[in-house]
């Protein structure tokens, strides 16, 4: 408990310019004498802690102190660098690279072993994504309204939002903010955004909640799906829904059942399997696919060439 408490004291001192022994004693539910002993132990361990008496005094870490092996293990540093590299993979500036250089400066002997975690958040759209992410981050930091042209299933048009978070989820990048058009918090996919502009209009920051990114919230089910797939596309079902998403039928095909979010996405997904999939339910969606296939057959008639 003492070690955990001292780590907690260090965390508070790194986050706050100054605190007091009574505040720490109340926070950790111990006596002031215990806190004073902890501070003395930290000083003996080489942490440059400064205490000042009188009005406005308190406990602080000396100015200019930087974290080193006293606070971080080699593995801690490797994980931090892995996270920064992942952000650097979609950065439109050299900020994260410079930050990594700062952390690595003088720490090469401290960081042992090879990297074991490599994360690349870039995509085919890196060229267009990086400037968007950079613009959104600037708008968030400056509390400026963000405008952009947005393309969605319901149509397209210009949006203006108060941006609060850049989000990476479901293998895609989003911006979360207060939409002036919808008068509510919304999640916008960056790949559907064009002409992203940080305006000079300042907004008053709301007490924006963290976005609820649960799959149930963003992609609510409701459409009961039943479909048969040929065995040679099993890998796709496992990749997208896991190894327990199907049962094998007597004829060797795979019976698949799930809840789906919306009909348009369901049709699009089933069609990507071509003749390797047969949708059984919902019946009305099966009918839509049948009509679509007939229209496609007409378009691709050989005698039209």
């Amino acid at each position: 408990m003492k070690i955990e408490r001292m780590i907690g004291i260090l965390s508070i001192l790194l986050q706050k310019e100054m605190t007091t022994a009574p505040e720490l004693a109340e926070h950790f539910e111990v006596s002031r004498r215990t806190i004073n002993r902890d501070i003395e132990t930290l000083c003996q361990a080489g942490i440059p802690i400064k205490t000042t008496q009188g009005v406005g005094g308190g406990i602080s870490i000396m100015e200019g102190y930087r974290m080193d092996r006293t606070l971080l293990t080699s593995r801690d540093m490797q994980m931090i660098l892995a996270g920064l590299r992942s952000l650097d993979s979609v950065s439109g500036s050299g900020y994260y690279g410079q930050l990594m250089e700062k952390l690595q400066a003088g720490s090469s002997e401290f960081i042992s072993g090879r990297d074991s975690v490599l994360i690349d958040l870039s995509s085919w759209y890196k060229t267009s994504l990086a400037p968007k992410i950079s613009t959104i981050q600037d708008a968030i930091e400056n509390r400026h309204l963000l405008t952009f042209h947005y393309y969605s299933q319901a149509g397209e048009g210009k949006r203006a939002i108060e941006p609060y978070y850049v989000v990476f989820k479901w293998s895609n990048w989003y911006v979360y903010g207060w939409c002036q058009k919808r008068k509510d918090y919304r999640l916008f996919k960056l790949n559907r955004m064009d002409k992203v502009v940080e305006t000079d209009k300042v907004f008053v920051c709301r007490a924006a909640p963290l976005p609820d990114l649960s799959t149930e919230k963003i992609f609510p089910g409701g459409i009961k799906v039943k479909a048969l797939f040929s065995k040679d596309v099993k890998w796709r079902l496992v990749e997208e829904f896991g190894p327990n998403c199907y049962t094998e039928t007597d004829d060797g095909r795979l019976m698949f059942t799930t809840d789906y979010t919306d009909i348009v996405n369901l049709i699009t997904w089933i069609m990507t399997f071509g003749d390797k999939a047969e949708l059984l339910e919902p019946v009305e969606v099966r009918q839509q696919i049948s009509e679509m296939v007939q229209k496609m057959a007409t378009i691709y008639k050989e005698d039209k060439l």
Side-chain angles (χ1 to χ4, degrees):
M1 288 297 295
K2 181 178 179 179
I3 293 175
E4 292 177 358
R5 187 173 61 248
M6 288 195 295
I7 292 174
I9 291 172
L10 270 177
S11 177
I12 291 173
L13 291 174
L14 288 168
Q15 295 176 53
K16 299 175 66 174
E17 290 187 6
M18 184 173 291
T19 187
T20 65
E23 288 174 347
L24 292 173
E26 181 180 356
H27 181 83
F28 293 103
E29 299 180 345
V30 295
S31 68
R32 289 181 59 180
R33 181 176 295 180
T34 298
I35 293 298
N36 289 333
R37 284 199 297 264
D38 288 342
I39 295 298
E40 184 178 347
T41 302
L42 289 170
C43 289
Q44 291 173 353
I47 306 297
I49 296 177
K50 178 176 66 175
T51 60
T52 53
Q53 304 297 321
V55 179
I59 305 168
S60 62
I61 292 183
M62 290 182 183
E63 188 175 349
Y65 175 71
R66 68 177 176 84
M67 291 186 296
D68 59 13
R69 70 188 70 192
T70 308
L71 294 178
L72 297 173
T73 66
S74 175
R75 182 170 182 175
D76 291 339
M77 186 65 80
Q78 285 179 343
M79 293 303 102
I80 290 172
L81 292 174
L84 288 173
R85 272 192 295 271
S86 70
L87 292 173
D88 193 53
S89 66
V90 289
S91 174
S93 68
Y95 173 75
Y96 296 107
Q98 293 168 5
L99 184 53
M100 282 188 285
E101 289 178 4
K102 289 180 182 179
L103 288 173
Q104 288 174 312
S107 302
S108 56
E109 64 204 29
F110 166 51
I111 305 174
S112 61
R114 298 180 58 186
D115 295 332
S116 58
V117 178
L118 299 175
I119 306 170
D120 190 337
L121 298 178
S122 62
S123 70
W124 296 111
Y125 309 99
K126 180 178 180 179
T127 304
S128 61
L129 270 178
K132 290 178 185 177
I133 292 174
S134 179
T135 299
I136 294 169
Q137 286 179 316
D138 289 342
I140 292 173
E141 183 177 346
N142 298 327
R143 294 291 183 252
H144 285 169
L145 285 179
L146 193 75
T147 62
F148 51 89
H149 195 83
Y150 197 65
Y151 300 85
S152 70
Q153 186 177 316
E156 60 181 270
K158 189 172 182 179
R159 296 292 185 97
I161 68 168
E162 302 169 7
Y164 289 103
Y165 296 101
V166 177
V167 179
F168 183 77
K169 184 75 172 177
W170 309 292
S171 302
N172 283 292
W173 285 94
Y174 301 82
V175 58
Y176 178 81
W178 176 268
C179 178
Q180 292 192 332
K181 181 178 181 180
R182 302 301 183 191
K183 305 299 180 186
D184 198 2
Y185 294 101
R186 287 289 189 271
L187 201 62
F188 298 93
K189 184 180 286 189
L190 266 60
N191 282 343
R192 296 180 182 175
M193 296 165 59
D194 189 22
K195 301 174 183 175
V196 181
V197 175
E198 176 193 2
T199 72
D200 58 1
K201 295 180 180 178
V202 179
F203 65 86
V204 178
C205 188
R206 302 171 190 266
L210 285 172
D212 183 352
L213 301 177
S214 62
T215 303
E216 295 77 15
K217 174 68 175 179
I218 305 299
F219 302 111
I223 302 175
K224 303 295 182 182
V225 175
K226 182 183 287 187
L228 282 169
F229 292 85
S230 62
K231 208 167 185 176
D232 54 351
V233 295
K234 181 191 294 185
W235 63 273
R236 272 196 61 183
L237 296 180
V238 171
E239 177 184 335
E240 298 177 35
F241 293 93
N244 300 316
C245 68
Y246 64 87
T247 56
E248 196 161 332
T249 62
D250 293 339
D251 62 1
R253 290 193 292 175
L254 310 176
M255 178 62 75
F256 169 83
T257 59
T258 192
D259 283 350
Y260 223 81
T261 305
D262 65 82
I263 290 176
V264 173
N265 284 336
L266 171 59
I267 293 175
T268 302
W269 180 68
I270 285 289
M271 293 293 284
T272 62
F273 288 89
D275 62 355
K276 306 293 185 181
E278 178 187 357
L279 182 70
L280 304 178
E281 297 177 7
V283 175
E284 62 273 19
V285 179
R286 177 185 172 92
Q287 181 61 35
Q288 288 184 46
I289 293 177
S290 174
E291 293 171 359
M292 185 181 297
V293 170
Q294 292 177 40
K295 290 179 181 178
M296 291 175 66
T298 301
I299 293 172
Y300 287 99
K301 276 185 177 179
E302 293 185 4
D303 57 12
K304 293 182 66 176
L305 295 177

